[in-house]
Amino acid sequence: MKGSSQHETIYRAISDAVIEHRLKPGARLREDALAEVFGISRTGIRKVLQRLALEQLITLTPGKGATVARPSAEEAREIFDARRMIECALMARLATRISAVEVKQLRAVAQHEQQALRGHEQSAAIKASAAFHARLAELAGNQTLAPFVAQLCSRSSLILAVYGHSGDLGCDCNDHNFLVDLLEAGDSDGAAEFMHKHLHAIESSLSIDEVVDETPDLRDVFAVYRDAGAR
């Protein structure tokens, strides 16, 4: 891998580690350690970190470097407020235009999430849940809002990591299937109302506790990437 291709792969690797909670909120991300893990210059790592900072997945502090972002309680409330305002409106629109093929796609993602939950694969379940909501926004047909919803979903994963409970995504595992039922039936009002209830349930499940910053072993976190590169 060279240039932008390598940067994109590293961006995805770090982003996934944050979203899947392998890198916890507040964790330090040392440039030198990341450069060693990914076999790239610190300048290259710095570009990736700047992109992640723009998406608010990490925080860059002068003199201290990079850490995984840790949303405050106020930020958490604002993010869920934004999600309710946007996603509920998108569901009302999607219910009038969703196709049978798209319904099938959504059910496949929801099934993957349920399988992950049953297998106690928390990281996979979190990723599948975020992918489900991002896909809903894409299908609603607003290409301006879709990437913004995906970003909000990523930040929600951080909120769950900070304020959530281990093994709990904050919502009933059948919620997504029920939402698809409403969309398939063309129930615009029902889909919008249920999305509001769904997001409110997630937010209500959170509890605010102090957490201690940590410095993770980045070689361990990205062992899969390192092993793949060696093959």
Side-chain angles (χ1 to χ4, degrees):
M1 295 181 295
K2 298 295 181 182
S4 60
S5 172
Q6 185 181 33
H7 289 175
E8 180 66 22
T9 299
I10 296 170
Y11 160 79
R12 289 294 174 191
I14 299 175
S15 178
D16 285 349
V18 171
I19 292 170
E20 295 173 1
H21 301 176
R22 287 181 283 118
L23 285 173
K24 296 180 181 180
R28 289 186 59 203
L29 301 175
R30 288 173 44 206
E31 288 182 5
D32 57 343
L34 287 171
E36 180 183 346
V37 167
F38 291 109
I40 190 174
S41 69
R42 291 184 64 172
T43 300
I45 286 294
R46 199 168 294 125
K47 290 180 180 178
V48 174
L49 293 177
Q50 288 170 347
R51 179 179 174 185
L52 290 164
L54 285 174
E55 297 182 3
Q56 299 182 27
L57 289 180
I58 71 167
T59 300
L60 292 176
T61 305
K64 293 185 178 180
T67 57
V68 177
R70 184 164 61 196
S72 67
E74 182 178 0
E75 288 173 322
R77 286 191 292 269
E78 289 178 352
I79 288 169
F80 276 100
D81 277 345
R83 289 190 63 178
R84 279 189 290 269
M85 286 187 282
I86 296 170
E87 292 189 67
C88 293
L90 290 178
M91 291 311 94
R93 180 179 181 180
L94 180 56
T96 67
R97 57 182 289 162
I98 194 166
S99 70
V101 172
E102 291 167 344
V103 166
K104 187 175 181 180
Q105 292 174 352
L106 289 172
R107 291 201 188 282
V109 178
Q111 182 180 16
H112 177 61
E113 178 188 6
Q114 288 184 318
Q115 289 174 340
L117 285 170
R118 285 195 293 268
H120 305 290
E121 299 174 10
Q122 179 81 346
S123 294
I126 290 167
K127 197 171 182 179
S129 179
F132 180 87
H133 282 266
R135 184 60 177 151
L136 286 173
E138 290 175 359
L139 295 177
N142 189 313
Q143 298 308 310
T144 299
L145 286 177
F148 183 53
V149 170
Q151 182 184 7
L152 289 174
C153 290
S154 295
R155 295 181 68 190
S156 294
S157 295
L158 289 175
I159 293 169
L160 283 168
V162 177
Y163 302 120
H165 302 281
S166 179
D168 180 20
L169 295 183
C171 61
D172 187 282
C173 64
N174 290 314
D175 274 9
H176 288 167
N177 271 321
F178 187 71
L179 177 60
V180 176
D181 290 341
L182 293 170
L183 292 170
E184 186 176 26
D187 187 349
S188 294
D189 291 341
E193 182 180 350
F194 188 77
M195 176 61 83
H196 188 280
K197 176 184 175 182
H198 174 66
L199 293 172
H200 180 71
I202 298 174
E203 184 180 8
S204 297
S205 74
L206 305 176
S207 59
I208 300 175
D209 298 304
E210 291 294 326
V211 292
V212 179
D213 290 350
E214 65 172 38
T215 302
D217 185 337
L218 297 176
R219 295 177 185 82
D220 182 54
V221 171
F222 297 110
V224 173
Y225 178 93
R226 186 182 64 241
D227 294 343
R231 286 198 292 270

